[in-house]
């Protein structure tokens, strides 16, 4: 995907805004909790903490800023991806046809569950499953770019740090474990699926998801 200078400037702004919210904003929220809330709670359960913090101006400001920055994130990347949808889809289909390894099997009769279709998950317009053209990968591209920008490089160059960390922990914790098959439920575009194959190369690894665009993009 190619982004012009204006688009790159927008995504750079959003990246730094997200960094501020999730770093400085989160620290301010913790300070407010420890200074004004913690000593007043008789039971420090997650529910009690959440219900009390929701009444605090610090939490409301943090929540509003985090939601707004998430919306800005999609506003910065969607126009560029949508302008290149035809080229991206054509490129993806050429890759899918030419791949010798792996397989992609889709069930066109699969009903997307309401838990996915009724909500824009992560505030992503269209959620993960919406298709705009035959053999569409748009939402996979949006998800991939969104994660790249919003994680500031913390997930590694291939964005697979979570899957890699978990797989390596499992391998270290259970040294004699030699799985024959591994199933990644809700694999989206495969960031956390491939590390399992790296850590357990002899295993037959599968990823499943209810989003056809994400699975095409992953493949």
């Amino acid at each position: 995907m190619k982004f012009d200078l204006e688009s790159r400037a927008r995504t750079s702004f959003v990246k730094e805004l997200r960094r501020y919210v999730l770093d400085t904003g989160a620290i301010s929220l913790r300070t407010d909790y420890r200074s004004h809330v913690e000593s007043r709670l008789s039971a420090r359960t997650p529910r009690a903490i959440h219900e009390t913090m929701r009444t605090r101006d610090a939490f409301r400001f943090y929540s509003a800023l985090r939601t707004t920055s998430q919306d800005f994130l999609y506003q910065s990347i969607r126009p560029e991806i949508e302008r290149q949808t035809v080229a991206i889809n054509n490129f993806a289909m050429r890759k899918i046809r030419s791949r010798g390894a792996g397989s992609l099997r889709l069930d066109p009769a699969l009903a997307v569950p309401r838990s996915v279709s009724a909500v824009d998950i992560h505030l992503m317009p269209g959620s993960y499953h919406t298709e705009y053209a035959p053999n569409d990968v748009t939402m996979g591209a949006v998800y991939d770019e969104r994660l790249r920008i919003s994680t500031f490089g913390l997930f590694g160059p291939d964005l697979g740090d979570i899957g890699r960390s978990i797989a390596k922990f499992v391998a270290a914790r259970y040294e004699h474990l030699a799985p024959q098959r591994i199933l990644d439920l809700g694999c989206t575009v495969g960031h956390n699926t491939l590390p399992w194959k790296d850590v357990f190369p002899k295993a037959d690894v599968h990823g499943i998801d209810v989003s056809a665009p994400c699975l095409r993009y992953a493949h």
Side-chain angles (χ1 to χ4, degrees), residues 128-147:
Y128 289 60
H129 66 288
T130 301
E131 300 188 51
Y132 299 97
N135 299 318
D136 192 28
V137 302
T138 299
M139 299 315 292
V142 171
Y143 176 81
D144 191 23
E145 189 66 13
R146 188 271 293 180
L147 198 63

Side-chain angles (χ1 to χ4, degrees), residues 48-101:
I49 293 171
H50 181 67
E51 288 180 350
T52 305
M53 287 299 294
R54 285 185 64 182
T55 67
R56 304 285 306 168
D57 288 341
F59 180 86
R60 290 173 174 171
F61 178 73
Y62 169 83
S63 181
L65 198 57
R66 183 166 180 173
T67 301
T68 299
S69 69
Q70 188 81 341
D71 185 43
F72 282 171
L73 179 61
Y74 295 117
Q75 289 187 40
S76 70
I77 63 177
R78 282 294 290 266
E80 281 300 318
I81 290 177
E82 288 173 352
R83 275 196 286 271
Q84 301 175 65
T85 294
V86 174
I88 293 170
N89 283 336
N90 288 341
F91 177 82
M93 285 305 101
R94 288 198 301 272
K95 285 292 184 181
I96 288 174
R97 294 188 191 104
S98 66
R99 290 289 184 192

Side-chain angles (χ1 to χ4, degrees), residues 25-42:
I27 292 173
S28 299
L29 198 61
R30 181 175 60 189
T31 301
D32 183 72
Y33 166 73
R34 289 179 173 173
S35 301
H36 303 287
V37 174
E38 188 174 27
S39 61
R40 293 163 38 198
L41 292 176
S42 56

